[in-house]
PDB file of all heavy atoms in Angstrom:
ATOM      1  N   ASP A1209       1.145  -7.885 -12.478  1.00  0.00           N
ATOM      2  CA  ASP A1209       0.251  -8.084 -13.618  1.00  0.00           C
ATOM      3  C   ASP A1209      -0.745  -6.929 -13.692  1.00  0.00           C
ATOM      4  O   ASP A1209      -1.537  -6.727 -12.759  1.00  0.00           O
ATOM      5  CB  ASP A1209      -0.488  -9.410 -13.454  1.00  0.00           C
ATOM      6  CG  ASP A1209      -1.402  -9.721 -14.640  1.00  0.00           C
ATOM      7  OD1 ASP A1209      -1.469  -8.907 -15.588  1.00  0.00           O
ATOM      8  OD2 ASP A1209      -2.045 -10.787 -14.604  1.00  0.00           O
ATOM      9  N   PRO A1210      -0.728  -6.128 -14.783  1.00  0.00           N
ATOM     10  CA  PRO A1210      -1.650  -4.980 -14.874  1.00  0.00           C
ATOM     11  C   PRO A1210      -3.121  -5.371 -14.863  1.00  0.00           C
ATOM     12  O   PRO A1210      -3.981  -4.532 -14.601  1.00  0.00           O
ATOM     13  CB  PRO A1210      -1.268  -4.342 -16.216  1.00  0.00           C
ATOM     14  CG  PRO A1210       0.121  -4.801 -16.493  1.00  0.00           C
ATOM     15  CD  PRO A1210       0.194  -6.187 -15.922  1.00  0.00           C
ATOM     16  N   THR A1211      -3.413  -6.643 -15.134  1.00  0.00           N
ATOM     17  CA  THR A1211      -4.811  -7.091 -15.141  1.00  0.00           C
ATOM     18  C   THR A1211      -5.188  -7.808 -13.844  1.00  0.00           C
ATOM     19  O   THR A1211      -6.283  -8.348 -13.740  1.00  0.00           O
ATOM     20  CB  THR A1211      -5.055  -8.048 -16.324  1.00  0.00           C
ATOM     21  OG1 THR A1211      -4.274  -9.251 -16.147  1.00  0.00           O
ATOM     22  CG2 THR A1211      -4.671  -7.407 -17.641  1.00  0.00           C
ATOM     23  N   GLY A1212      -4.297  -7.789 -12.863  1.00  0.00           N
ATOM     24  CA  GLY A1212      -4.517  -8.557 -11.647  1.00  0.00           C
ATOM     25  C   GLY A1212      -5.253  -7.838 -10.536  1.00  0.00           C
ATOM     26  O   GLY A1212      -5.424  -8.379  -9.451  1.00  0.00           O
ATOM     27  N   GLY A1213      -5.677  -6.594 -10.778  1.00  0.00           N
ATOM     28  CA  GLY A1213      -6.416  -5.866  -9.760  1.00  0.00           C
ATOM     29  C   GLY A1213      -5.564  -5.270  -8.661  1.00  0.00           C
ATOM     30  O   GLY A1213      -6.096  -4.858  -7.628  1.00  0.00           O
ATOM     31  N   ARG A1214      -4.256  -5.200  -8.853  1.00  0.00           N
ATOM     32  CA  ARG A1214      -3.376  -4.593  -7.861  1.00  0.00           C
ATOM     33  C   ARG A1214      -3.453  -3.072  -7.964  1.00  0.00           C
ATOM     34  O   ARG A1214      -3.301  -2.490  -9.041  1.00  0.00           O
ATOM     35  CB  ARG A1214      -1.938  -5.045  -8.075  1.00  0.00           C
ATOM     36  CG  ARG A1214      -1.689  -6.520  -7.775  1.00  0.00           C
ATOM     37  CD  ARG A1214      -1.608  -6.775  -6.291  1.00  0.00           C
ATOM     38  NE  ARG A1214      -1.142  -8.124  -5.980  1.00  0.00           N
ATOM     39  CZ  ARG A1214      -1.004  -8.581  -4.747  1.00  0.00           C
ATOM     40  NH1 ARG A1214      -1.291  -7.804  -3.719  1.00  0.00           N
ATOM     41  NH2 ARG A1214      -0.585  -9.812  -4.523  1.00  0.00           N
ATOM     42  N   ALA A1215      -3.680  -2.408  -6.838  1.00  0.00           N
ATOM     43  CA  ALA A1215      -3.876  -0.963  -6.839  1.00  0.00           C
ATOM     44  C   ALA A1215      -2.621  -0.208  -7.253  1.00  0.00           C
ATOM     45  O   ALA A1215      -2.706   0.848  -7.884  1.00  0.00           O
ATOM     46  CB  ALA A1215      -4.330  -0.499  -5.452  1.00  0.00           C
ATOM     47  N   ALA A1216      -1.443  -0.725  -6.902  1.00  0.00           N
ATOM     48  CA  ALA A1216      -0.204  -0.002  -7.180  1.00  0.00           C
ATOM     49  C   ALA A1216       0.005   0.210  -8.678  1.00  0.00           C
ATOM     50  O   ALA A1216       0.342   1.322  -9.119  1.00  0.00           O
ATOM     51  CB  ALA A1216       0.991  -0.748  -6.587  1.00  0.00           C
ATOM     52  N   VAL A1217      -0.187  -0.841  -9.479  1.00  0.00           N
ATOM     53  CA  VAL A1217       0.030  -0.696 -10.920  1.00  0.00           C
ATOM     54  C   VAL A1217      -1.027   0.208 -11.538  1.00  0.00           C
ATOM     55  O   VAL A1217      -0.752   0.955 -12.477  1.00  0.00           O
ATOM     56  CB  VAL A1217       0.054  -2.063 -11.632  1.00  0.00           C
ATOM     57  CG1 VAL A1217       1.295  -2.838 -11.281  1.00  0.00           C
ATOM     58  CG2 VAL A1217      -1.181  -2.883 -11.319  1.00  0.00           C
ATOM     59  N   GLU A1218      -2.247   0.166 -11.017  1.00  0.00           N
ATOM     60  CA  GLU A1218      -3.313   1.019 -11.536  1.00  0.00           C
ATOM     61  C   GLU A1218      -3.054   2.484 -11.185  1.00  0.00           C
ATOM     62  O   GLU A1218      -3.239   3.376 -12.022  1.00  0.00           O
ATOM     63  CB  GLU A1218      -4.657   0.567 -10.983  1.00  0.00           C
ATOM     64  CG  GLU A1218      -5.079  -0.830 -11.449  1.00  0.00           C
ATOM     65  CD  GLU A1218      -6.375  -1.288 -10.808  1.00  0.00           C
ATOM     66  OE1 GLU A1218      -6.928  -0.534  -9.982  1.00  0.00           O
ATOM     67  OE2 GLU A1218      -6.840  -2.397 -11.130  1.00  0.00           O
ATOM     68  N   LEU A1219      -2.627   2.749  -9.946  1.00  0.00           N
ATOM     69  CA  LEU A1219      -2.358   4.116  -9.517  1.00  0.00           C
ATOM     70  C   LEU A1219      -1.197   4.718 -10.294  1.00  0.00           C
ATOM     71  O   LEU A1219      -1.269   5.863 -10.770  1.00  0.00           O
ATOM     72  CB  LEU A1219      -2.051   4.140  -8.017  1.00  0.00           C
ATOM     73  CG  LEU A1219      -1.727   5.500  -7.417  1.00  0.00           C
ATOM     74  CD1 LEU A1219      -2.976   6.368  -7.388  1.00  0.00           C
ATOM     75  CD2 LEU A1219      -1.188   5.344  -5.988  1.00  0.00           C
ATOM     76  N   PHE A1220      -0.106   3.964 -10.449  1.00  0.00           N
ATOM     77  CA  PHE A1220       1.059   4.457 -11.175  1.00  0.00           C
ATOM     78  C   PHE A1220       0.703   4.716 -12.637  1.00  0.00           C
ATOM     79  O   PHE A1220       1.119   5.738 -13.214  1.00  0.00           O
ATOM     80  CB  PHE A1220       2.191   3.429 -11.085  1.00  0.00           C
ATOM     81  CG  PHE A1220       3.489   3.886 -11.674  1.00  0.00           C
ATOM     82  CD1 PHE A1220       4.320   4.738 -10.978  1.00  0.00           C
ATOM     83  CD2 PHE A1220       3.885   3.449 -12.932  1.00  0.00           C
ATOM     84  CE1 PHE A1220       5.538   5.166 -11.518  1.00  0.00           C
ATOM     85  CE2 PHE A1220       5.087   3.862 -13.484  1.00  0.00           C
ATOM     86  CZ  PHE A1220       5.912   4.717 -12.770  1.00  0.00           C
ATOM     87  N   GLN A1221      -0.059   3.826 -13.227  1.00  0.00           N
ATOM     88  CA  GLN A1221      -0.454   3.995 -14.620  1.00  0.00           C
ATOM     89  C   GLN A1221      -1.311   5.247 -14.802  1.00  0.00           C
ATOM     90  O   GLN A1221      -1.147   5.989 -15.789  1.00  0.00           O
ATOM     91  CB  GLN A1221      -1.212   2.762 -15.107  1.00  0.00           C
ATOM     92  CG  GLN A1221      -1.564   2.791 -16.591  1.00  0.00           C
ATOM     93  CD  GLN A1221      -2.244   1.507 -17.028  1.00  0.00           C
ATOM     94  OE1 GLN A1221      -2.957   0.870 -16.255  1.00  0.00           O
ATOM     95  NE2 GLN A1221      -2.017   1.117 -18.267  1.00  0.00           N
ATOM     96  N   LYS A1222      -2.184   5.513 -13.861  1.00  0.00           N
ATOM     97  CA  LYS A1222      -3.071   6.663 -13.965  1.00  0.00           C
ATOM     98  C   LYS A1222      -2.339   7.983 -13.735  1.00  0.00           C
ATOM     99  O   LYS A1222      -2.455   8.914 -14.541  1.00  0.00           O
ATOM    100  CB  LYS A1222      -4.215   6.520 -12.951  1.00  0.00           C
ATOM    101  CG  LYS A1222      -5.173   7.701 -12.932  1.00  0.00           C
ATOM    102  CD  LYS A1222      -6.265   7.494 -11.885  1.00  0.00           C
ATOM    103  CE  LYS A1222      -7.206   8.693 -11.841  1.00  0.00           C
ATOM    104  NZ  LYS A1222      -8.263   8.505 -10.802  1.00  0.00           N
ATOM    105  N   ILE A1223      -1.557   8.050 -12.648  1.00  0.00           N
ATOM    106  CA  ILE A1223      -0.962   9.329 -12.255  1.00  0.00           C
ATOM    107  C   ILE A1223       0.316   9.640 -13.022  1.00  0.00           C
ATOM    108  O   ILE A1223       0.522  10.766 -13.478  1.00  0.00           O
ATOM    109  CB  ILE A1223      -0.683   9.347 -10.732  1.00  0.00           C
ATOM    110  CG1 ILE A1223      -2.012   9.278  -9.969  1.00  0.00           C
ATOM    111  CG2 ILE A1223       0.096  10.590 -10.333  1.00  0.00           C
ATOM    112  CD1 ILE A1223      -1.853   9.265  -8.465  1.00  0.00           C
ATOM    113  N   VAL A1224       1.184   8.645 -13.182  1.00  0.00           N
ATOM    114  CA  VAL A1224       2.494   8.896 -13.798  1.00  0.00           C
ATOM    115  C   VAL A1224       2.467   8.674 -15.308  1.00  0.00           C
ATOM    116  O   VAL A1224       3.076   9.432 -16.063  1.00  0.00           O
ATOM    117  CB  VAL A1224       3.566   8.005 -13.141  1.00  0.00           C
ATOM    118  CG1 VAL A1224       4.912   8.161 -13.841  1.00  0.00           C
ATOM    119  CG2 VAL A1224       3.702   8.354 -11.655  1.00  0.00           C
ATOM    120  N   MET A1225       1.747   7.667 -15.750  1.00  0.00           N
ATOM    121  CA  MET A1225       1.767   7.306 -17.159  1.00  0.00           C
ATOM    122  C   MET A1225       0.612   7.908 -17.947  1.00  0.00           C
ATOM    123  O   MET A1225       0.499   7.708 -19.163  1.00  0.00           O
ATOM    124  CB  MET A1225       1.771   5.777 -17.302  1.00  0.00           C
ATOM    125  CG  MET A1225       2.984   5.123 -16.661  1.00  0.00           C
ATOM    126  SD  MET A1225       2.860   3.313 -16.579  1.00  0.00           S
ATOM    127  CE  MET A1225       2.745   2.886 -18.309  1.00  0.00           C
ATOM    128  N   GLY A1226      -0.265   8.624 -17.261  1.00  0.00           N
ATOM    129  CA  GLY A1226      -1.375   9.251 -17.953  1.00  0.00           C
ATOM    130  C   GLY A1226      -2.307   8.262 -18.620  1.00  0.00           C
ATOM    131  O   GLY A1226      -2.958   8.586 -19.618  1.00  0.00           O
ATOM    132  N   GLY A1227      -2.378   7.050 -18.085  1.00  0.00           N
ATOM    133  CA  GLY A1227      -3.251   6.033 -18.637  1.00  0.00           C
ATOM    134  C   GLY A1227      -2.658   5.244 -19.780  1.00  0.00           C
ATOM    135  O   GLY A1227      -3.301   4.333 -20.313  1.00  0.00           O
ATOM    136  N   ALA A1228      -1.418   5.551 -20.182  1.00  0.00           N
ATOM    137  CA  ALA A1228      -0.769   4.825 -21.281  1.00  0.00           C
ATOM    138  C   ALA A1228      -0.535   3.378 -20.876  1.00  0.00           C
ATOM    139  O   ALA A1228      -0.310   3.083 -19.697  1.00  0.00           O
ATOM    140  CB  ALA A1228       0.553   5.494 -21.645  1.00  0.00           C
ATOM    141  N   PRO A1229      -0.559   2.456 -21.815  1.00  0.00           N
ATOM    142  CA  PRO A1229      -0.366   1.041 -21.473  1.00  0.00           C
ATOM    143  C   PRO A1229       1.079   0.735 -21.108  1.00  0.00           C
ATOM    144  O   PRO A1229       2.015   1.368 -21.614  1.00  0.00           O
ATOM    145  CB  PRO A1229      -0.781   0.308 -22.755  1.00  0.00           C
ATOM    146  CG  PRO A1229      -0.552   1.304 -23.846  1.00  0.00           C
ATOM    147  CD  PRO A1229      -0.865   2.640 -23.249  1.00  0.00           C
TER     148      PRO A1229
END
Side-chain angles (χ1 to χ4, degrees):
D1209 182 0
T1211 65
R1214 292 283 190 181
V1217 290
E1218 295 176 358
L1219 179 70
F1220 186 79
Q1221 185 177 32
K1222 178 181 179 181
I1223 295 179
V1224 175
M1225 299 170 61

